[in-house]
Amino acid sequence: MIPLMLDLSGRTVRIFGGGGVGARKAAFFAGEAAVQVFSRSFSSRFSTLPVTTEILDVEHLDDKALGDLIRGAFLVVAATSSHDQNDRIGRICRELGVLFNNADGEGDLMLPAVVRGEQYLIAVSTRGSSPAVARFVRETIERELPSLDRMVLLQREIRAALRQLSLSSDERRHILSAILRDPAVNCALNSGVDEAAAVVQARYLQVRSPDGC
């Protein structure tokens, strides 16, 4: 499997299963795609999600009827309480050429743990071996890099400024890398991008200022 970032605007994601797992899967896609969920019953979490729900028991559908539900979806998630039904949904998806995620087995794709900011998106996966590890990495990034959004904005601003200087590409990369690791810059980011940019200007684009926060 390889990591990809997909634009799901205008795409349809259909989820079978309205329990806790189905709710987590729905929350992952909600707001990014048109999400439709089918189940015999639904967790209370669905009441707060921007998805459509329909009461339905897949065990009462034959393969043709189930295929009609799956056909036209960009991606299908099987999160029912039945391993056999999840596998059946996956088989039909493969026959129809629809991407498939299996909540309790093999599928075409896996849903990673995601760290999301306004300026960045980081996905972490252990290929299903340890969701706890993926969650730990996500939580560590959130805890240890609280100013990451502001750093992205700062880097964008400094990159534009560096292009105006007579520097080699290696020199520009060195400065941008040093900024990432500079305690004074990271400290200034706590007050905002403008404050951090002033520190960068003094330390890297004009004269160096003393170390410290």
Side-chain angles (χ1 to χ4, degrees):
M1 291 190 171
I2 60 173
L4 298 171
M5 300 292 182
L6 295 175
D7 182 358
L8 294 183
S9 302
R11 305 283 193 176
T12 298
V13 175
R14 295 195 174 116
I15 299 173
F16 293 89
V21 175
R24 288 198 301 274
K25 304 284 187 176
F28 185 89
F29 292 107
E32 305 295 334
V35 181
Q36 302 170 342
V37 188
F38 304 92
S39 181
R40 290 176 296 189
S41 60
F42 293 91
S43 161
S44 60
R45 290 185 59 190
F46 281 96
S47 64
T48 62
L49 295 176
V51 303
T52 61
T53 58
E54 180 177 333
I55 296 177
L56 179 146
D57 189 341
V58 296
E59 293 187 5
H60 295 164
L61 300 180
D62 60 22
D63 284 2
K64 182 182 182 305
L66 185 54
D68 289 342
L69 272 182
I70 290 171
R71 187 177 288 106
F74 178 74
L75 187 155
V76 166
V77 177
T80 76
S81 58
S82 168
H83 181 81
D84 290 341
Q85 291 302 319
N86 289 343
D87 285 347
R88 182 166 77 107
I89 293 168
R91 172 176 56 79
I92 295 173
C93 283
R94 285 188 291 273
E95 292 171 356
L96 296 175
V98 175
L99 288 173
F100 171 64
N101 171 254
N102 193 339
D104 65 356
E106 295 184 358
D108 302 314
L109 56 87
M110 295 180 178
L111 305 187
V114 172
V115 190
R116 188 189 303 269
E118 292 183 3
Q119 306 297 327
Y120 69 90
L121 178 65
I122 300 172
V124 183
S125 174
T126 60
R127 297 189 176 185
S129 296
S130 177
V133 168
R135 184 170 58 252
F136 170 78
V137 174
R138 172 179 60 79
E139 292 172 349
T140 299
I141 292 172
E142 291 173 335
R143 182 178 64 253
E144 298 297 331
L145 299 172
S147 298
L148 192 54
D149 263 323
R150 291 189 288 273
M151 177 58 83
V152 174
L153 292 173
L154 175 65
Q155 288 271 323
R156 183 172 67 188
E157 182 177 327
I158 300 306
R159 285 182 66 205
L162 289 174
R163 283 195 290 268
Q164 306 305 313
L165 303 179
S166 298
L167 298 172
S168 68
S169 58
D170 285 343
E171 288 173 321
R172 290 196 295 269
R173 281 196 297 269
H174 175 76
I175 290 174
L176 292 170
S177 180
I179 290 169
L180 284 170
R181 296 165 175 78
D182 191 325
V185 174
N186 280 280
C187 179
L189 278 175
N190 293 327
S191 300
V193 175
D194 291 343
E195 289 77 1
V199 173
V200 171
Q201 180 72 24
R203 292 171 69 85
Y204 297 96
L205 306 185
Q206 292 181 356
V207 297
R208 291 186 175 276
S209 61
D211 291 337
C213 179

